[in-house]
Amino acid sequence: MNIQNLARENVRLLTPYQSARRIGGNGSVWLNANEYPEATAYQLTEQNLNRYPECQPVQVIQRYAAYAGIKPEQLIVSRGADESIELLMRAFCEPNKDAVLYCPPTYGMYSVSAETLGIERRIVNSKKDWQLDLPAIKEALNGVKLVYVCSPNNPTGNLINPDDIRELLAMTAGRALVVVDEAYIEFCPKASVVSWLSQYPNLVVLRTLSKAFALAGLRCGFALASEEIINLLLKVIAPYPLSTPVADIAAQALSDQGIATMRQRVIELNARRDQLIKTLSACTCVTDVYPSETNYLLFKLTDSEAAFKTLWDQGIILRDQNKQPGLKGCLRISIGTQAECDAVTDVLQTF
Ligand code: PMP
């Protein structure tokens, strides 16, 4: 029996997402997944694991709604923002008929989720300055139901021009949703478009606890949108997407104290990032360090392959971006502890 032949064709052909954990490496310094470098300790307060959890834990929903300045009805909590990326496709895209559009270089899961579900991928590369190519997007919109815009963008670190997002929302009104992925927005909170939700019925905002909230291992993310969109997503989400311990810890992370701690982390990481920009720029093997509004930096090297390997061999794991359009010679580094950043620059200074 040939099991391969039983599998769906698009799954047979699929290259799964190359997550930092899947790529592996024998690292001691992990700077390849944009995680927060240190763990906060939590105590579980809920012990009743004999019971199924709430589908949408009320305290998490209420606290995140208050934090984001929206109504609880405008929010769904999911297994990371990754699950929300896919829920949107499951709720809005007919396989083999509708399309999703995104603008590389950008986050890889828009593509992988679409491919997994058998949804056409409409790819419009961003311009040289990593802003949206609006005329090209306009040309490509036929049949598109979802446009994913990552702002700040992973891996380039830049914000998407808000006027362009407004133009995109107007251009797609009545035909497609614009999904603004704000996974890194805590590092530049003023840039959020969440306050636009009341103005644009076709806007969705994605958020996560994986970055500034330092909880990548928790797997907790959110989609923020109109009540109508949220109700559609609630139809397709799993019956119990978040385990009881996840909801318990997420609620603690979203307490006043948890949010204050997050904001303190952001101040420290942003300062360390700005320092790292200077140190990297001074390395002779580095030709460009791009501005960033996030907890990572994209930088270009004279020989990125050799630098990546030299660091890798010393247990320092960065993220290679060579294969993304327009990013030849580029690596991405997450802002780690001061010691971790120093370990990288020590190697690159002598490289
Ligand atoms: N969007 C972007 C831009 C990301 O970088 C990531 C994390 N790599 C995600 C979404 C997914 O985040 P989560 O951990 O919440 O699934």
Side-chain angles (χ1 to χ4, degrees), residues 80-82 107 110 150 154 181 183-184 208 210-211 219-220:
D82 278 342
Y107 183 48
Y110 316 133
C150 192
N154 178 5
D181 185 341
Y184 299 93
T208 180
S210 296
K211 309 300 175 184
R219 310 307 301 126
C220 186

Side-chain angles (χ1 to χ4, degrees), residues 17 32-34 78-85 106-110 149-155 181-184 206-211 215-217 219-222 296 319 332:
Y17 182 67
N32 62 345
N34 299 341
S78 59
R79 186 173 23 82
D82 278 342
E83 188 183 21
S84 282
I85 290 171
T106 194
Y107 183 48
M109 279 306 290
Y110 316 133
V149 175
C150 192
S151 182
N153 188 40
N154 178 5
D181 185 341
E182 293 190 343
Y184 299 93
L206 300 181
R207 295 285 188 86
T208 180
L209 298 188
S210 296
K211 309 300 175 184
L215 286 170
R219 310 307 301 126
C220 186
F222 304 88
Y296 53 87
R319 189 86 156 155
R332 192 194 68 192

Side-chain angles (χ1 to χ4, degrees), residues 26 285 301 303-318 331 343-344 346-351:
N26 269 327
C285 65
L301 300 97
D303 187 346
S304 71
E305 229 170 283
F308 182 81
K309 186 168 183 316
T310 304
L311 289 161
W312 175 282
D313 290 343
Q314 297 187 37
I316 302 171
I317 315 295
L318 307 197
L331 301 179
V344 175
D346 284 352
V347 173
L348 293 181
Q349 271 158 357
T350 57
F351 187 72

Side-chain angles (χ1 to χ4, degrees), residues 37-145:
E38 286 162 322
T40 304
Y42 289 93
Q43 301 293 327
L44 292 184
T45 61
E46 293 287 341
Q47 303 298 340
N48 53 338
L49 296 180
N50 58 316
R51 299 291 176 194
Y52 283 112
E54 296 168 281
C55 176
Q56 292 288 290
V58 171
Q59 200 173 36
V60 175
I61 291 285
Q62 283 177 344
R63 287 187 177 177
Y64 201 87
Y67 163 68
I70 56 172
K71 289 188 292 183
E73 295 78 18
Q74 290 179 281
L75 177 64
I76 187 169
V77 53
S78 59
R79 186 173 23 82
D82 278 342
E83 188 183 21
S84 282
I85 290 171
E86 194 174 299
L87 289 178
L88 284 156
M89 295 185 196
R90 278 166 41 195
F92 287 93
C93 297
E94 208 73 70
N96 303 314
K97 178 167 172 264
D98 298 329
V100 300
L101 187 152
Y102 54 90
C103 305
T106 194
Y107 183 48
M109 279 306 290
Y110 316 133
S111 164
V112 172
S113 286
E115 211 180 343
T116 306
L117 296 172
I119 295 164
E120 186 198 332
R121 295 165 294 164
R122 204 67 60 76
I123 296 168
V124 178
N125 284 351
S126 60
K127 297 188 294 184
K128 276 210 182 73
D129 60 358
W130 298 322
Q131 292 297 327
L132 301 176
D133 187 344
L134 287 169
I137 292 176
K138 195 170 186 182
E139 284 296 303
L141 274 181
N142 192 24
V144 168
K145 287 285 192 69

Side-chain angles (χ1 to χ4, degrees), residues 209-347:
L209 298 188
S210 296
K211 309 300 175 184
F213 282 93
L215 286 170
L218 192 66
R219 310 307 301 126
C220 186
F222 304 88
L224 290 54
S226 72
E227 201 173 332
E228 201 175 359
I229 293 173
I230 296 302
N231 283 335
L232 285 161
L233 299 182
L234 285 170
K235 282 182 138 178
V236 298
I237 199 166
Y240 311 106
L242 268 61
S243 71
T244 301
V246 170
D248 187 354
I249 292 168
Q252 295 176 45
L254 291 167
S255 66
D256 290 345
Q257 173 62 45
I259 291 169
T261 306
M262 177 277 288
R263 293 202 167 115
Q264 191 53 40
R265 276 185 211 114
V266 165
I267 292 171
E268 287 163 21
L269 274 193
N270 283 355
R272 199 174 301 148
R273 176 195 66 211
D274 294 343
Q275 185 54 45
L276 184 60
I277 292 177
K278 290 187 192 143
T279 321
L280 281 177
S281 304
C283 296
T284 45
C285 65
V286 174
T287 57
D288 290 291
V289 184
Y290 300 100
S292 170
E293 303 284 343
T294 66
N295 68 333
Y296 53 87
L297 289 173
L298 184 76
F299 63 112
K300 196 172 198 165
L301 300 97
T302 46
D303 187 346
S304 71
E305 229 170 283
F308 182 81
K309 186 168 183 316
T310 304
L311 289 161
W312 175 282
D313 290 343
Q314 297 187 37
I316 302 171
I317 315 295
L318 307 197
R319 189 86 156 155
D320 185 4
Q321 298 293 340
N322 265 287
K323 297 220 166 65
Q324 289 250 31
L327 301 191
K328 194 136 193 49
C330 290
L331 301 179
R332 192 194 68 192
I333 177 172
S334 310
I335 311 302
T337 62
Q338 190 59 54
E340 288 171 330
C341 295
D342 292 346
V344 175
T345 50
D346 284 352
V347 173

